[in-house]
Amino acid sequence: MEKIEHKIIPVNGLKMHVAELGEGPLVLFVHGFPELWYSWRHQMLYMAARGFRAVAPDMRGYGDTTGAPLDDPSMFTIPHLVGDLVSLLDAIAPNEGKVFIVGHDWGAYIAWHLCLYRPDKVKALVNMSVAYIPRDPRMNLMELFRMMGDDHYVIRFQEAGDIEAEFASVGVKEVVKYILSYRNPGPFLFPKDKILDYNTERAPWLSEDELLYYVSKFEQTGFTGGVNYYRAIGMNWKLNAPWTGARVHVPAKFIVGELDLAYHMPGTKDYIHGGGFKSDVPLLQETVVIEGAAHFVNQERPDEINEHIYTFLKQF
């Protein structure tokens, strides 16, 4: 880990913190919530050792990346997030043309949209946890989440300061440990009328030192930056109107944990395995379900995930 180089790069009005290791074709790793560049530590070491240049930023609102106004969720829309990556690629690989992208959770959502908006930038894609979500012109995605009840995490994240106050009362360490260790494939709920018992056991794949790294960064930034991604969901639906019916035309592989809560969202399995996913992503080559793994699959099962990424990308 000490070989990883850390840089601050001016990107799209931000000062973006980027971790980098290795030389060769660029692989850009995009993290989700509540994560950091650090979520890709296993993959960076593996890919760099096999002749790739592994780059992982702290995304807008996270870690050591600064400059995004946390009090304005409209600055966290998907065009902003994709714009950050396009600007980053222009800065760090101006002559490379197409690069490899690997995403997880919100990082997967951003990566799908990078491929949708700018397929000229992407050679191939490996995404985890969150499948492509085509825009339904009949229903804002927020309406679907509201149908899941007021305690659903996406709904609880909507009111400015609400979930932040609960997290503050519990403490950063317990919150991060609770979310990273979560293994229930059912709905992820934060009941409004009571504070959850956050005192869960730390996941066996997460060492105390690894947990404390996450804690140190979220103590520094708070959770508002990451939560703002959820607060922009309704805006994303409006902004994506021009891409209604558009397909993702990039070679892709999708990986999801068997116990991943995102895999068990209503209609998701039917979409992934019933032909809808392949229709919307025509160059989707493979979907892999990792037995016994939960949401943070790239950290829980790094050896398997590393091999899946490498064997897919090396063919291009």
Side-chain angles (χ1 to χ4, degrees):
M1 293 290 291
E2 64 275 4
K3 296 180 180 179
I4 293 176
E5 184 178 1
H6 295 268
K7 305 175 181 177
I8 300 294
I9 300 176
V11 165
N12 201 24
L14 308 175
K15 292 182 178 179
M16 179 170 271
H17 168 245
V18 174
E20 180 175 338
L21 182 67
E23 297 180 356
L26 193 150
V27 184
L28 181 65
F29 293 95
V30 192
H31 71 77
F33 175 88
E35 301 183 89
L36 302 161
W37 75 269
Y38 188 69
S39 304
W40 299 109
R41 57 198 178 279
H42 306 295
Q43 287 72 41
M44 292 185 70
L45 295 172
Y46 186 93
M47 295 301 289
R50 284 155 181 80
F52 290 86
R53 178 188 178 194
V55 175
D58 283 335
M59 294 297 288
R60 174 180 294 242
Y62 283 92
D64 294 320
T65 291
T66 60
L70 299 183
D71 60 348
D72 185 0
S74 72
M75 298 300 290
F76 289 79
T77 68
I78 195 66
H80 287 97
L81 302 172
V82 172
D84 294 345
L85 296 186
V86 171
S87 181
L88 176 62
L89 290 174
D90 287 344
I92 65 175
N95 301 314
E96 191 158 346
K98 295 185 176 185
V99 303
F100 296 115
I101 307 292
V102 179
H104 171 260
D105 185 75
W106 265 104
Y109 184 80
I110 298 164
W112 289 123
H113 283 82
L114 173 61
C115 295
L116 184 67
Y117 299 164
R118 296 296 304 273
D120 60 302
K121 290 287 188 181
V122 185
K123 189 180 302 183
L125 167 71
V126 179
N127 258 347
M128 287 166 248
S129 181
V130 175
Y132 179 63
I133 304 173
R135 183 182 187 272
D136 185 345
R138 301 162 298 178
M139 178 185 289
N140 190 316
L141 189 58
M142 276 308 303
E143 296 176 33
L144 177 63
F145 286 121
R146 289 193 183 96
M147 292 167 61
M148 299 180 190
D150 292 343
D151 292 340
H152 191 272
Y153 76 102
V154 173
I155 303 305
R156 282 297 313 278
F157 285 6
Q158 294 304 305
E159 182 181 341
D162 179 28
I163 200 68
E164 291 97 327
E166 178 170 326
F167 287 171
S169 70
V170 173
V172 171
K173 183 176 182 180
E174 293 306 317
V175 169
V176 172
K177 181 175 66 170
Y178 177 81
I179 298 176
L180 293 182
S181 302
Y182 192 80
R183 297 187 62 79
N184 184 350
F188 195 31
L189 305 177
F190 289 89
K192 287 183 68 69
D193 58 349
K194 67 175 182 179
I195 292 181
L196 287 172
D197 180 7
Y198 287 84
N199 188 24
T200 187
E201 290 188 10
R202 173 170 43 82
W205 54 262
L206 184 69
S207 73
E208 183 70 10
D209 286 345
E210 289 170 331
L211 173 62
L212 290 177
Y213 184 88
Y214 284 107
V215 171
S216 69
K217 296 303 178 181
F218 283 101
E219 285 180 339
Q220 168 187 313
T221 64
F223 292 97
T224 299
V227 172
N228 276 343
Y229 289 50
Y230 296 89
R231 292 173 181 159
I233 288 174
M235 288 179 266
N236 291 339
W237 181 83
K238 296 176 182 178
L239 293 169
N240 270 335
W243 289 273
T244 301
R247 296 178 175 183
V248 174
H249 290 282
V250 167
K253 179 173 184 171
F254 180 67
I255 306 169
V256 65
E258 177 189 21
L259 303 177
D260 192 326
L261 59 92
Y263 185 51
H264 292 266
M265 294 280 283
T268 299
K269 286 186 181 180
D270 289 341
Y271 173 71
I272 289 174
H273 302 294
F277 192 15
K278 177 65 173 176
S279 177
D280 291 329
V281 187
L283 301 181
L284 178 68
Q285 293 190 14
E286 186 179 9
T287 293
V288 178
V289 179
I290 305 292
E291 292 185 9
H295 182 67
F296 298 95
V297 64
N298 54 314
Q299 298 179 75
E300 180 181 351
R301 304 280 275 273
D303 293 342
E304 292 174 61
I305 297 303
N306 292 345
E307 185 63 24
H308 276 298
I309 294 171
Y310 177 66
T311 56
F312 182 68
L313 297 189
K314 73 178 181 179
Q315 66 181 300
F316 297 97

